């Protein structure tokens, strides 16, 4: 069983109320091979919501902030923990998550300056899944993952 980002599966759960439909992810869900998750909704954030990025302060401490400075770190952490719980219940070994998101991103995320610049790194949910030995891929890598 795969865990997949709900927005890739066609759910309109993005910060702006839109989706990121990826037909191959939709097919996995339809075939019963994947369960969709949205960590930010699991963290009880609304749809739509303010877009957030992971920001480092002067001491290198990371926080999840909106562009106008509201902090949502605890919501993102709760969402990551709930996603891990679901992965464990399903015994999922692999997740296919939306690239660049502060929750779901894998390998590259926005740099915290809200100007579209990417840096090396993972979203908070991806970090927690990887720490628990779940392999995470983005939708761009889906062909290398699915049979
Ligand atoms: Fe998609 Fe993940 Fe953002 Fe939810 S948290 S909208 S699943 S990228």
């Amino acid at each position: 069983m795969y865990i997949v980002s709900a927005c890739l599966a066609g759910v309109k759960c993005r910060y702006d109320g839109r989706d990121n439909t990826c037909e191959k992810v939709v097919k996995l869900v339809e075939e019963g091979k994947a369960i969709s998750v949205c960590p930010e909704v699991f963290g009880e954030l609304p749809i739509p919501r303010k877009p957030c990025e992971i920001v480092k302060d002067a001491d290198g401490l990371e926080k999840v902030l909106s562009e106008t400075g509201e902090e949502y770190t605890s919501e993102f952490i709760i969402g990551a923990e709930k996603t891990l719980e679901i992965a464990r219940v399903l015994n999922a070994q692999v997740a296919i998550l939306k690239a660049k998101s502060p929750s779901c991103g894998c390998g590259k995320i926005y740099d915290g300056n809200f100007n579209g610049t990417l840096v090396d790194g993972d979203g908070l949910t991806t970090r927690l899944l990887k720490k628990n030995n779940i392999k995470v891929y983005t939708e761009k890598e889906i062909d290398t993952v699915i049979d």
Side-chain angles (χ1 to χ4, degrees):
M1 183 64 72
Y2 300 102
I3 292 285
V4 296
S5 289
C7 58
L8 295 176
V11 180
K12 297 187 184 307
C13 55
R14 275 174 39 144
Y15 71 92
D16 56 2
R18 297 169 67 188
D19 60 84
N20 289 108
T21 297
C22 167
E23 290 306 332
K24 289 180 180 173
V25 170
V26 172
K27 192 161 174 269
L28 283 177
V29 173
E30 284 173 355
E31 291 173 347
K33 294 178 181 167
I35 295 289
S36 69
V37 294
C38 178
E40 291 171 27
V41 170
F42 290 166
E44 298 191 11
L45 291 170
I47 306 168
R49 55 189 172 276
K50 295 192 172 169
C52 290
E53 294 190 8
I54 299 171
V55 177
K56 263 191 197 161
D57 70 14
D59 300 323
L61 188 72
E62 288 184 324
K63 293 177 178 175
V64 179
L65 300 179
S66 72
E67 194 169 6
T68 44
E70 292 101 334
E71 183 167 359
Y72 294 100
T73 311
S74 59
E75 287 87 345
F76 274 62
I77 290 172
I78 289 167
E81 287 170 347
K82 287 187 180 169
T83 302
L84 175 63
E85 236 175 272
I86 290 170
R88 282 188 167 145
V89 167
L90 296 169
N91 196 25
Q93 309 294 321
V94 176
I96 302 164
L97 302 184
K98 174 70 186 80
K100 304 176 201 167
S101 152
S103 292
C104 294
C106 180
K108 295 273 178 198
I109 53 170
Y110 293 113
D111 73 350
N113 289 308
F114 295 90
N115 61 12
T117 305
L118 295 170
V119 286
D120 290 342
D122 295 329
L124 295 194
T125 294
T126 296
R127 291 181 198 178
L128 188 63
L129 294 179
K130 283 183 171 178
K131 245 187 229 163
N132 286 275
N133 299 318
I134 295 169
K135 291 193 166 57
V136 182
Y137 300 90
T138 73
E139 74 278 17
K140 298 173 198 309
E141 301 165 298
I142 192 165
D143 287 333
T144 64
V145 182
I146 58 176
D147 318 318

